[in-house]
Amino acid sequence: MHRSVHLQRLLVWGLTGPIVALNVWLLTQLFRFFEGLVTVLVMAAILAFLLNYPVRLFQRATLSRVQAVTLVLVVTVALFVIAGVTLVPIIVDQTAQLLAKIPDWLQTSARNLQALDLWAKQHNLPLDLQGFSGRINNQIERQLEVVAKEAVGVAVGTVNGLITTILVFVLAFYMLLYGNQLWNGLINLLPPRYGIPFRESLWLNFHNFFISQILLAAFMGLALIPVFLVLQVPFALLFALLIGIAELIPLVGAALGIGVVTILLMLQNFWMGFWVAIAATILQQVRDNVLGPKMLGDFTGLNPIWIFIALLMGLQMAGFLGVIVAVPIAGTIKGTLEAVRSERLALKLKKAEEEII
C-alpha cells in the first residue's frame, strides 16, 4: 500500500513538470499573438493601481469617486504633458548627441588601450587589449549602424507610442471607475478557498513592489543628477534616467544600469567612469541597506534563485514589461499557495481535535 502511494506521488510530480512547461509555452504563444492588447491592458492596470491611492485620498476629502478619478487623471495628464514638453526634448537631444559621439569615444578608448597594450608588451605581460578592444568597437559600431537605419522606424514608433499612451489613460480612467466590479466578478469565479488568498496576496505583492520600487528608482535617479553635474558628466540627465529605470528591475537592475553607464563613460575618460561607478555604487548601497529594508522588506519571501528564474521567464515571455511584473506575480503565487496550505493544515488540526474530543 505504501509503495503504491509512493508511486502515485512520483507519477504526479513527473507529470507536473511537462504540464507546467506546456502551459508556460501556451501562455507565451498567446502573449505574442495578443502582445499589443496585453501590453496596453497591463500598463493601464498598473497605472490605475497606482492612481487609486490619490483617488482614495481625494475621496476622503468628501469628493465623489467620479470627481476624484477625474481630478487625479487630469493632474496626471498635465504632469505627463509638462514632462513631455520639458524633459523629453532634452532626453531625445542628449540621446542623439550620445549616439553621435560614441564613435569618437571608441577611437579615444582604442588609443588608450593601445598605449596600455604597448606597456604590457614591454613588461612581457600576456595581454592583447588592442585586439579585444577592436572586437568590442566593431560590435558597437554595427549596433550603431542598425540604430541609424531604424531612425524612420523610431519616428513611426513615436506616433504609435502616443496613440498607445492615450489608450492607456482612457483604459485607466474606466478601470478606476469600474475596475472593482470587474475584479470582484473575476475573483468570484474562483472557489473561495483560492480566490480570497489570491486577492489578498496579489494586492499585497503589487502594492509593496510597485510603490517601493518606483520610490527607490526615483531616489536613485534624482540623487544621481546633482552628483553627475558636480563630476561634470556628459549627458547627466540621460545617464541618471537610465540608471533610475534599470533600478525597477529587482536584484540585477542596479548593477546593469551602473555598469552600462560606467562602460560608456570609460570609453571617453577612464577616471570619470571610475568615479561615476564609485558614486553610483555608494548611493546604491544607501538605497539597498538604508531605504530598501524600510520600504521593501521581505515582501515576497522568495529565494533569490527563484527571483532570477522569475525574471528570466518574464523576459522570455513579455520582454521588459514581463521583467517588471515577474517578481510580484511570483510572490502572489507563493503567497496564495502558502495561504491554501495553511488553511488545509488548520482544517486537519481541527478534525484531529474533534476526533480526540
Side-chain angles (χ1 to χ4, degrees), residues 104-114 133 137 266-267:
D104 295 334
W105 290 5
L106 290 175
Q107 294 179 1
T108 302
S109 176
R111 288 194 296 268
N112 294 334
L113 287 177
Q114 185 178 5
S133 172
N137 291 349
M266 282 184 172
L267 293 176

Side-chain angles (χ1 to χ4, degrees), residues 76-125:
T76 304
V77 171
L79 292 176
F80 269 85
V81 171
I82 293 173
V85 173
T86 57
L87 295 179
V88 173
I90 297 175
I91 294 172
V92 172
D93 181 62
Q94 289 192 1
T95 303
Q97 293 181 26
L98 175 63
L99 294 176
K101 287 189 175 182
I102 283 181
D104 295 334
W105 290 5
L106 290 175
Q107 294 179 1
T108 302
S109 176
R111 288 194 296 268
N112 294 334
L113 287 177
Q114 185 178 5
L116 185 59
D117 193 32
L118 180 61
W119 176 86
K121 290 180 179 179
Q122 291 175 351
H123 291 78
N124 297 322
L125 296 176

Side-chain angles (χ1 to χ4, degrees), residues 20-279:
V20 171
L22 178 60
N23 288 330
V24 171
W25 181 80
L26 288 174
L27 287 175
T28 304
Q29 299 304 313
L30 286 174
F31 178 83
R32 289 176 180 174
F33 187 77
F34 298 102
E35 182 175 1
L37 175 61
V38 174
T39 301
V40 171
L41 290 175
V42 172
M43 292 175 63
I46 294 174
L47 180 61
F49 177 81
L50 296 175
L51 294 181
N52 193 45
Y53 291 98
V55 167
R56 289 181 177 178
L57 290 177
F58 283 115
Q59 281 187 280
R60 294 176 183 175
T62 67
L63 289 179
S64 66
R65 179 75 179 181
V66 176
Q67 292 174 338
V69 169
T70 304
L71 178 61
V72 169
L73 204 63
V74 168
V75 172
T76 304
V77 171
L79 292 176
F80 269 85
V81 171
I82 293 173
V85 173
T86 57
L87 295 179
V88 173
I90 297 175
I91 294 172
V92 172
D93 181 62
Q94 289 192 1
T95 303
Q97 293 181 26
L98 175 63
L99 294 176
K101 287 189 175 182
I102 283 181
D104 295 334
W105 290 5
L106 290 175
Q107 294 179 1
T108 302
S109 176
R111 288 194 296 268
N112 294 334
L113 287 177
Q114 185 178 5
L116 185 59
D117 193 32
L118 180 61
W119 176 86
K121 290 180 179 179
Q122 291 175 351
H123 291 78
N124 297 322
L125 296 176
L127 295 178
D128 186 16
L129 298 177
Q130 189 173 357
F132 178 71
S133 172
R135 289 190 293 270
I136 294 180
N137 291 349
N138 292 334
Q139 183 66 26
I140 295 177
E141 289 176 355
R142 284 196 294 268
Q143 294 298 325
L144 290 176
E145 291 176 359
V146 173
V147 172
K149 292 178 181 178
E150 294 180 352
V152 177
V154 172
V156 175
T158 303
V159 177
N160 293 334
L162 180 61
I163 297 174
T164 301
T165 302
I166 295 174
L167 288 176
V168 167
F169 275 100
V170 172
L171 280 173
F173 175 77
Y174 285 103
M175 286 182 178
L176 285 170
L177 290 179
Y178 309 109
N180 286 334
Q181 301 174 11
L182 176 62
W183 179 245
N184 291 330
L186 293 175
I187 292 296
N188 290 334
L189 296 176
L190 299 174
R193 60 183 302 184
Y194 298 110
I196 295 175
F198 175 76
R199 178 173 55 190
E200 294 176 353
S201 179
L202 184 67
W203 182 87
L204 180 63
N205 280 275
F206 272 82
H207 165 79
N208 290 344
F209 178 80
F210 279 108
I211 297 299
S212 57
Q213 286 293 115
I214 289 175
L215 291 178
L216 292 174
F219 163 76
M220 282 295 295
L222 295 176
L224 283 173
I225 292 176
V227 174
F228 286 176
L229 292 177
V230 170
L231 295 175
Q232 297 182 349
V233 176
F235 317 115
L237 179 60
L238 177 63
F239 286 151
L241 180 63
L242 176 61
I243 294 177
I245 293 176
E247 287 285 337
L248 294 173
I249 305 175
L251 294 182
V252 298
L256 182 63
I258 295 173
V260 170
V261 172
T262 300
I263 292 173
L264 288 175
L265 289 175
M266 282 184 172
L267 293 176
Q268 180 203 21
N269 188 321
F270 175 83
W271 290 110
M272 179 180 291
F274 173 79
W275 289 116
V276 164
I278 295 296

Side-chain angles (χ1 to χ4, degrees), residues 296-347:
L296 266 173
D298 190 18
F299 74 98
T300 62
L302 289 173
N303 187 292
I305 296 177
W306 288 114
I307 293 179
F308 273 112
I309 293 174
L311 292 175
L312 292 174
M313 291 180 64
L315 178 64
Q316 179 67 30
M317 295 178 65
F320 183 74
L321 182 62
V323 171
I324 296 299
V325 301
V327 173
I329 289 177
T332 299
I333 296 173
K334 178 180 180 294
T336 303
L337 294 177
E338 288 182 346
V340 173
R341 185 183 303 170
S342 299
E343 183 181 355
R344 288 180 178 177
L345 289 176
L347 291 175

